[in-house]
Amino acid sequence: MQKIALSLRAKKKTIGVVPTMGYLHSGHESLIKASVKKCDITILTIFVNPSQFGPNEDLSRYPRDEKGDIAMAKRNGVDYVFLPTPQTMYPDGYETYVEVGSTAQYLCGESRPGHFRGVDTVVLKLFNITQPHYAFFGQKDFQQLAVIRRMALDFNLPINIVGLPTIREKDGLAKSSRNVYLSPIERAKALCLSAGLKKIADAVKGGFTNVDLLGDILKTEISQHPDIRIDYIACMDADTIKPLSIYKKGKTLFALACFVGKTRLIDNVVV
């Protein structure tokens, strides 16, 4: 893959990469389409990265559909699909990891220790392998996008990191590979997450900017379902991913992670 990418760059081809863990949905498809439109060559990577999962997380049961993923790649104009094995990415004796900083301190970085260390490490490796000019990520994983942008800046990577809007179901639920875990009843309850975030956005549009009370709107919406367990609800600076106590126009991030049944879902809005 690296030899192919270097050969393409030598031919002055513009390369876009879409890093994924597979089980693709329309959110991933939007990233692929953006890359195909922007770049001469699009590389889709599919790798369920063990280093970003904790010991009690869902690595072994993370959904996989290699055949369906490749079919989506073909019909959307992907030029190469890179499907490495864990042994390829982390061979015997592997010991080098990216040390993450304050961008990864809160939210998922706090509730999933070591997660972003694994994310940054595998993304840096994928960048080195695929040699892209552009890399495409979804804003549903807003903190992940910020952490990767920080790494690209800090390591002087000659890559444009492109963040694209969250793709949602018609009823508002953010697209996620983990949605497949939800029972019909759980899925219906999960709609309160996006509904609460929409109420925050509507309140801000109406001129309401007290961040504590905006957060309470979200908590009230979720509290309608007492069996939904809140991991975190937080108001952060969208640039630094640090706690925000006063509204910052266009840069105020409300982010959440909740367990609906056994399934951990994340979502966010920037207002």
Side-chain angles (χ1 to χ4, degrees):
M1 183 72 260
Q2 191 178 63
K3 288 179 181 178
I4 290 169
L6 288 169
S7 174
L8 290 166
R9 287 186 71 105
K11 295 173 184 176
K12 307 299 182 184
K13 298 292 185 181
T14 302
I15 299 173
V17 67
V18 182
T20 79
M21 294 209 299
Y23 207 74
L24 305 183
H25 51 68
S26 56
H28 299 109
E29 192 171 30
S30 71
L31 305 179
I32 291 170
K33 288 179 177 178
S35 178
V36 169
K37 184 177 180 180
K38 180 76 174 176
C39 305
D40 299 321
I41 300 292
T42 291
I43 301 171
L44 172 73
T45 74
I46 300 173
F47 180 60
V48 182
N49 175 35
S51 72
Q52 69 188 66
F53 286 80
N56 298 313
E57 295 183 338
D58 59 349
L59 173 62
S60 62
R61 71 185 189 104
Y62 193 85
R64 293 163 170 85
D65 181 15
E66 184 176 309
K67 185 177 179 181
D69 293 345
I70 292 173
M72 178 185 280
K74 284 183 176 179
R75 68 175 176 263
N76 283 285
V78 168
D79 298 282
Y80 297 93
V81 178
F82 181 53
L83 282 152
T85 64
Q87 180 64 25
T88 298
M89 296 298 282
Y90 301 106
D92 293 342
Y94 189 90
E95 62 179 16
T96 306
Y97 292 85
V98 175
E99 180 182 345
V100 295
S102 62
T103 316
Q105 181 178 353
Y106 300 100
L107 307 181
C108 288
E110 185 173 4
S111 62
R112 301 179 68 188
H115 171 68
F116 287 117
R117 174 179 183 259
V119 168
D120 260 6
T121 298
V122 78
V123 169
L124 181 60
K125 287 172 68 67
L126 291 170
F127 284 171
N128 285 330
I129 291 166
T130 60
Q131 297 287 304
H133 299 84
Y134 295 88
F136 298 82
F137 298 90
Q139 292 178 354
K140 181 182 77 74
D141 298 289
F142 196 93
Q143 186 178 21
Q144 172 181 276
L145 176 60
V147 168
I148 291 168
R149 278 182 167 148
R150 185 74 250 177
M151 177 186 69
L153 181 65
D154 291 347
F155 283 172
N156 307 104
L157 302 180
I159 303 169
N160 291 287
I161 308 298
V162 182
L164 294 175
T166 300
I167 302 299
R168 299 183 179 276
E169 304 280 3
K170 289 182 179 179
D171 55 14
L173 185 68
K175 290 273 189 176
S176 170
S177 299
R178 287 186 169 92
N179 289 350
V180 70
Y181 297 153
L182 299 170
S183 71
I185 293 174
E186 289 171 343
R187 195 197 174 288
K189 291 179 179 179
L191 295 179
C192 69
L193 309 185
S194 56
L197 292 170
K198 185 178 185 302
K199 286 184 176 181
I200 288 176
D202 289 342
V204 172
K205 287 178 183 177
F208 192 79
T209 57
N210 182 304
V211 296
D212 291 330
L213 296 180
L214 288 168
D216 288 342
I217 291 174
L218 183 54
K219 292 173 186 175
T220 299
E221 189 73 19
I222 295 171
S223 69
Q224 296 179 45
H225 302 285
D227 51 338
I228 292 181
R229 180 163 62 89
I230 296 173
D231 184 353
Y232 63 75
I233 290 175
C235 177
M236 315 296 283
D237 185 306
D239 290 328
T240 64
I241 317 297
K242 291 182 178 179
L244 200 62
S245 58
I246 299 174
Y247 176 73
K248 184 178 179 182
K249 187 176 181 180
K251 296 291 185 179
T252 301
L253 168 71
F254 283 92
L256 64 84
C258 292
F259 286 90
V260 183
K262 295 182 179 179
T263 305
R264 186 178 184 273
L265 300 178
I266 61 172
D267 204 347
N268 66 79
V269 66
V270 176
V271 291

